[in-house]
């Protein structure tokens, strides 16, 4: 349809010159004469925020991060309470005995060495001449055995209640070498009273000589308590 006809019909529609019976046709004719689309209007304002949806499921646990740097050293703590005072040496009861012999003696196999000089004793240790010391207090004792042997392989040992003490056997391999034995002895309460003797445990008699002078100590036994 030409622009002329479209314009004519548009004016006719606007002026109402078209007959009523042809209104439907008029409407169809007028629609065909619509002008070009206008420019888009400006955007409207944002609408209101919608309602918050439900919380989603928890996600998977992530990997462990690297260890952080070492922190600074904390302040020094307060000093603790002073501990109880320990026992002093004077609180350990002193027990001791020293017996010795002068002059030649022959000690038969499994017999005890004799000590013929006056003993030095504490009040809780007793001496039965000529070979027995009786200890009445339990504890740890330092033991020293000495003999000046005249025969090779002289072997002596300490006996407690007629039983040889392990670790107390000593031998002088050579003649006139002198026998010296030192060790510790634990005496328990069940051992009391503990009778101590030094015996010859060699297969032959042991000759204990006096040296060049009869005043020389040629056999001795020293015991000293060092702990409870």
């Amino acid at each position: 349809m030409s622009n002329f006809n479209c314009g004519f019909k548009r004016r006719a529609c606007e002026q109402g010159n078209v007959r009523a019976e042809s209104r439907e046709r008029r409407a169809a004719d007028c629609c065909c004469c619509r002008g070009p689309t206008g420019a888009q209007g400006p955007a409207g304002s944002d609408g209101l925020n919608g309602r918050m949806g439900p919380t989603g499921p928890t996600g998977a646990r992530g990997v462990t991060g690297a260890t952080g740097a070492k922190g600074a050293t904390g302040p020094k703590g307060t000093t603790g309470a002073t501990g109880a005072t320990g026992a002093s040496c004077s609180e350990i009861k002193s027990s001791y005995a020293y017996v010795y012999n002068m002059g030649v003696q022959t000690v038969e196999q499994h017999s005890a060495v004799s000590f013929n000089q006056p003993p030095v004793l504490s009040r809780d240790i007793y001496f039965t001449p000529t070979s027995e010391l009786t200890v009445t207090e339990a504890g740890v004792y330092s033991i020293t055995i000495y003999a000046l042997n005249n025969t090779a392989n002289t072997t002596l040992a300490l006996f407690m209640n007629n039983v040889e003490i392990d670790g107390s056997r000593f031998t002088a391999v050579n003649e006139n070498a002198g026998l010296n034995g030192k060790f510790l002895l634990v005496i328990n309460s069940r051992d009391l009273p503990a009778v101590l003797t030094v015996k010859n445990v060699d297969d032959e008699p042991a000759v204990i000589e006096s040296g060049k002078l009869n005043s020389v100590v040629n056999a001795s036994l020293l015991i000293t308590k060092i702990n409870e």
Side-chain angles (χ1 to χ4, degrees), residues 79-101:
T79 302
T82 303
T85 302
S88 63
C89 293
S90 60
E91 293 176 355
I92 299 176
K93 186 176 180 181
S94 178
S95 298
Y96 55 86
Y98 175 64
V99 291
Y100 62 102
N101 184 82

Side-chain angles (χ1 to χ4, degrees), residues 94-197:
S94 178
S95 298
Y96 55 86
Y98 175 64
V99 291
Y100 62 102
N101 184 82
M102 291 183 179
V104 177
Q105 65 170 301
T106 299
V107 183
E108 298 296 333
Q109 183 183 9
H110 304 303
S111 295
V113 175
S114 295
F115 305 102
N116 59 9
Q117 300 300 308
V120 180
L121 307 169
S122 60
R123 294 183 178 181
D124 55 346
I125 299 180
Y126 304 96
F127 179 60
T128 302
T130 58
S131 59
E132 294 182 352
L133 283 174
T134 301
V135 179
T136 61
E137 295 287 340
V140 180
Y141 290 81
S142 173
I143 310 294
T144 302
I145 299 172
Y146 168 75
L148 182 58
N149 61 300
N150 188 38
T151 54
N153 298 318
T154 298
T155 304
L156 304 178
L158 183 72
F159 282 69
M160 181 170 67
N161 299 332
N162 288 321
V163 177
E164 183 179 346
I165 301 299
D166 291 338
S168 71
R169 182 177 288 207
F170 298 91
T171 298
V173 177
N174 301 317
E175 296 179 5
N176 303 317
L179 182 150
N180 283 281
K182 295 182 179 181
F183 58 97
L184 297 179
L185 172 64
V186 178
I187 299 178
N188 298 304
S189 298
R190 64 177 178 272
D191 301 320
L192 301 176
V195 179
L196 305 180
T197 54

Side-chain angles (χ1 to χ4, degrees), residues 56-64:
T58 302
R61 182 175 180 177
V63 297
T64 302

Side-chain angles (χ1 to χ4, degrees), residues 10 32-39:
R10 184 172 61 249
C32 71
C33 297
R34 185 178 300 140
T37 302

